[in-house]
Amino acid sequence: MPLLIAPVFNSTATKPFRIELPNSYYLVAGAEKPYELASKYLRNEMDENKRLFDKRVEPTSMFLVADYPDMRITEDQDWIEEIESKLNISVLNGICSIPYVITIEKNMYGITYLKRSLDGPKYIFDQDAETIFMSLLDQKLPSLAFRRYTLSLEKKSPEDQLLDLWIALESLFVPDGKKGEITYKLRLRMAYYFGATFEERQNIAEFIKKSYNHRSEIVHSGKVFGKKIVNEVNLLRMMARAAILNTAMEGITIQDLRNRLDELIMSGENYVQRYAPQRFERITLNV
């Protein structure tokens, strides 16, 4: 029976595990065989020495593995990318990727290139990441927001990252927005969603106004901010990630979220106080 191994580049697990996944796959860490086979076959294909290869894949890395009767990489490619995206949104700091799939049957092997590997801080799969990842496996995430969040991880420039994250946030908080009122609705809804006190809401509203102006300058005049907006981009990523996770874990639609936020503005309460979600990802905004 053919064996499929897809190393999760730039990842490390804090303990050995095996997680059963849909489609006859499982995610594993701490097993010797997947690393040995990946090192044997993929390192040669990548034409890299052991030191460089081990920067991307190491014995403590995660591996997506499957034993199945027929090779179906093309059919499973979208699903493998979804697993990569759900792994990435399960942590705030760290980026992993699944760029290659190795298929092995007896003395024959094949390597399929899916995408370029992503660069970023080391991805650490700990207990908290596992809890979030497992809760997302069967969840349908807000499609546009989730896709743009994932795309932002692939972008090199802070300006491109900022634009992707703002598309994600707009799709979550102002799907009903019209030109001329988008910034106003974003400020109000996001302030009441993330802020628990008047002062927090004020700070968030000011941050949203400033950052959305940066978005407009990038789009309309091509302005380049460079490193000046790195912290801003990180805050936007925290907000987008929190909203995507919260919406998915509560099992509510974007329409539900919009209605809830408008109710909050009327009542003056904060989100956790009014709706008491079992899990709510919070952010800390230091202005």
Side-chain angles (χ1 to χ4, degrees):
M1 180 176 291
L3 174 68
L4 177 147
I5 300 175
V8 183
F9 278 40
N10 201 42
S11 72
T12 187
T14 57
K15 63 179 182 179
F17 65 80
R18 174 179 168 134
I19 299 173
E20 300 294 333
L21 302 176
N23 299 351
S24 301
Y25 282 77
Y26 55 93
L27 188 67
V28 65
E32 292 182 6
K33 184 178 179 181
Y35 171 74
E36 290 174 354
L37 292 172
S39 182
K40 177 181 179 180
Y41 295 114
L42 188 55
R43 191 173 69 200
N44 292 334
E45 180 72 17
M46 294 173 64
D47 193 28
E48 293 186 346
N49 62 43
K50 188 176 188 301
R51 182 180 63 84
L52 290 175
F53 179 81
D54 285 347
K55 282 186 176 181
R56 296 171 172 83
V57 183
E58 56 190 23
T60 58
S61 293
M62 297 185 291
F63 296 84
L64 191 62
V65 181
D67 294 290
Y68 51 53
D70 300 309
M71 296 301 182
R72 53 175 192 265
I73 304 303
T74 302
E75 293 86 345
D76 284 355
Q77 183 170 347
D78 288 345
W79 185 81
I80 292 172
E81 290 183 2
E82 181 181 340
I83 290 298
E84 176 192 292
S85 297
K86 286 184 175 180
L87 282 171
N88 274 322
I89 204 169
S90 297
V91 303
L92 183 58
N93 300 309
I95 301 174
C96 67
S97 58
I98 306 177
Y100 294 94
V101 171
I102 309 164
T103 50
I104 306 167
E105 185 175 15
K106 296 182 180 179
N107 295 325
M108 299 182 295
Y109 76 94
I111 295 175
T112 302
Y113 174 73
L114 301 180
K115 57 182 290 185
R116 70 176 180 85
S117 58
L118 304 182
D119 298 320
K122 177 70 76 173
Y123 180 100
I124 300 175
F125 193 78
D126 55 15
Q127 185 59 55
D128 190 50
E130 181 178 349
T131 299
I132 295 174
F133 176 70
M134 293 298 292
S135 70
L136 295 179
L137 273 180
D138 298 322
Q139 293 286 349
K140 184 175 177 58
L141 278 64
S143 57
L144 178 56
F146 184 41
R147 185 169 72 252
R148 283 296 177 168
Y149 179 90
T150 300
L151 285 173
S152 75
L153 300 176
E154 301 181 10
K155 302 297 174 62
K156 297 292 186 181
S157 76
E159 291 80 13
D160 287 342
Q161 294 174 36
L162 183 142
L163 293 181
D164 277 326
L165 291 169
W166 265 121
I167 292 172
L169 289 165
E170 285 182 50
S171 73
L172 289 164
F173 290 100
V174 288
D176 58 335
K178 298 179 181 178
K179 188 174 182 180
E181 63 180 28
I182 290 178
T183 309
Y184 175 74
K185 286 187 174 182
L186 280 171
R187 291 174 68 192
L188 276 180
R189 288 175 178 170
M190 292 179 69
Y192 271 88
Y193 188 70
F194 292 113
T197 66
F198 175 74
E199 183 179 6
E200 288 178 356
R201 291 168 191 156
Q202 265 192 323
N203 289 337
I204 291 168
E206 286 302 312
F207 170 75
I208 298 304
K209 180 181 179 181
K210 178 181 177 181
S211 182
Y212 204 77
N213 284 340
H214 289 165
R215 171 215 172 272
S216 298
E217 289 180 86
I218 293 168
V219 170
H220 299 298
S221 64
K223 186 168 182 177
V224 176
F225 291 93
K227 293 182 179 180
K228 294 179 181 178
I229 59 170
V230 168
N231 289 336
E232 179 182 329
V233 168
N234 289 336
L235 283 171
L236 291 175
R237 178 164 290 118
M238 290 170 64
M239 289 177 163
R241 175 179 179 267
I244 292 168
L245 290 180
N246 293 341
T247 303
M249 291 178 178
E250 281 195 87
I252 62 174
T253 66
I254 294 176
Q255 178 69 32
D256 294 332
L257 177 64
R258 187 191 74 184
N259 291 340
R260 286 184 172 192
L261 293 174
D262 288 345
E263 288 177 5
L264 287 182
I265 295 167
M266 294 294 291
S267 68
E269 297 172 280
N270 67 67
Y271 194 93
V272 174
Q273 178 185 19
R274 184 171 180 85
Y275 298 108
Q278 289 187 350
R279 182 186 177 100
F280 189 82
E281 294 283 323
R282 304 196 69 94
I283 66 161
T284 301
L285 181 65
N286 295 317
V287 181

